Amino acid sequence: DGGITQSPKYLFRKEGQNVTLSCEQNLNHDAMYWYRQDPGQGLRLIYYSQIVNDFQKGDIAEGYSVSREKKESFPLTVTSAQKNPTAFYLCASSIRSSGAIYEQYFGPGTRLTVT
Amino acid sequence: RKEVEQDPGPFNVPEGATVAFNCTYSNSASQSFFWYRQDCRKEPKLLMSVYSSGNEDGRFTAQLNRASQYISLLIRDSKLSDSATYLCVVQIQRTGGGNKLTFGTGTQLKVEL
């Protein structure tokens, strides 16, 4: 089955620790995205990547880092510099990221709780 | 003004009812429009893209009004399984390349017996 996987589903960390969230897709999509969702707010874009070895900051990139060494994988690191890391993190992918309509498809998400 | 605005609801409707949601967007350069459905504590799932001429998929009809900058979603013959939050999503082209999706905060629908 083609799809996007994220692991783990739930993650608990102590304040001050970096944590890396996994995102893998086997849809052969070029573009991948990371969002966070907080209660009462729409999804906000953290980082996106249009192609392997390339990525751009989204609207709320501070305190996060990413890499895109393989087409299938786009891990997100939440660093200790992120002021409010507790959130629901969603990874998405699309065939491409520009031009005509390219819908984005989401993974199941990771709920990160930092105490 | 928010880039994408939706009435948060909840809309409580009886099974079999017809319900409509509207969504307004502020950026006239918006190119593409979508409705996503999100169940509680789950990921958003694409419900349908919204085309300029309007489009229908079974019980769901989406329409776009570019002049007034709003999109709508109509659900006919509501089912209990339609209970979810419906996210309005607007796409614009980024100046540096790639597209940007802006998500509304969602409208909650509860279909009751």
Side-chain angles (χ1 to χ4, degrees):
Chain A
D1 282 339
I4 304 173
T5 56
Q6 291 185 243
S7 61
K9 191 170 182 179
Y10 298 96
L11 189 55
F12 298 87
R13 279 293 182 269
K14 292 289 188 186
E15 199 172 315
Q17 294 178 333
N18 290 355
V19 60
T20 298
L21 311 184
S22 163
C23 177
E24 305 278 332
Q25 54 98 1
N26 60 5
L27 300 167
N28 200 32
H29 284 175
D30 283 330
M32 296 185 75
Y33 311 82
W34 273 105
Y35 295 89
R36 69 176 275 168
Q37 188 175 34
D38 297 279
Q41 296 196 42
L43 276 70
R44 291 182 291 167
L45 182 65
I46 303 171
Y47 267 98
Y48 67 104
S49 168
Q50 299 180 72
I51 199 165
V52 175
N53 291 323
D54 181 64
F55 50 82
Q56 286 84 39
K57 291 182 179 180
D59 300 318
I60 53 164
E62 186 176 346
Y64 299 98
S65 65
V66 293
S67 62
R68 187 88 187 275
E69 296 175 3
K70 297 187 299 182
K71 187 175 186 176
E72 303 79 21
S73 179
F74 190 40
L76 173 75
T77 297
V78 184
T79 74
S80 56
Q82 167 51 231
K83 297 286 190 289
N84 298 296
T86 295
F88 185 35
Y89 289 88
L90 289 155
C91 178
S93 71
S94 63
I95 295 173
R96 288 181 202 83
S97 66
S98 60
I101 299 174
Y102 290 119
E103 298 93 345
Q104 292 185 14
Y105 298 91
F106 286 84
T110 292
R111 289 196 180 272
L112 173 65
T113 302
V114 177
T115 56
Chain B
R1 183 184 172 187
K2 287 183 181 177
E3 290 186 72
V4 178
E5 290 203 67
Q6 297 182 254
D7 182 340
F11 284 51
N12 298 309
V13 303
E15 202 174 15
T18 295
V19 61
F21 309 135
N22 278 347
C23 162
T24 58
Y25 61 93
S26 61
N27 191 330
S28 59
S30 299
Q31 297 176 311
S32 305
F33 309 87
F34 309 92
W35 284 103
Y36 278 76
R37 170 200 168 121
Q38 187 172 25
D39 293 288
C40 188
R41 301 179 71 80
K42 300 278 190 174
E43 75 274 23
K45 292 188 177 175
L46 180 66
L47 181 65
M48 57 200 304
S49 302
V50 186
Y51 303 124
S52 296
S53 55
N55 47 303
E56 188 174 308
D57 182 3
R59 297 182 293 110
F60 298 84
T61 300
Q63 293 198 314
L64 166 65
N65 185 320
R66 284 193 183 271
S68 301
Q69 294 184 199
Y70 77 83
I71 67 173
S72 64
L73 177 68
L74 182 78
I75 305 175
R76 288 182 299 279
D77 189 24
S78 322
K79 312 288 184 195
L80 293 175
S81 57
D82 293 335
S83 298
T85 296
Y86 290 83
L87 307 179
C88 171
V89 184
V90 173
Q91 174 185 325
I92 61 171
Q93 199 71 21
R94 283 180 173 269
T95 52
N99 66 51
K100 171 185 164 76
L101 290 190
T102 301
F103 289 77
T105 53
T107 297
Q108 189 179 8
L109 172 65
K110 295 182 180 178
V111 181
E112 303 163 333
L113 284 172

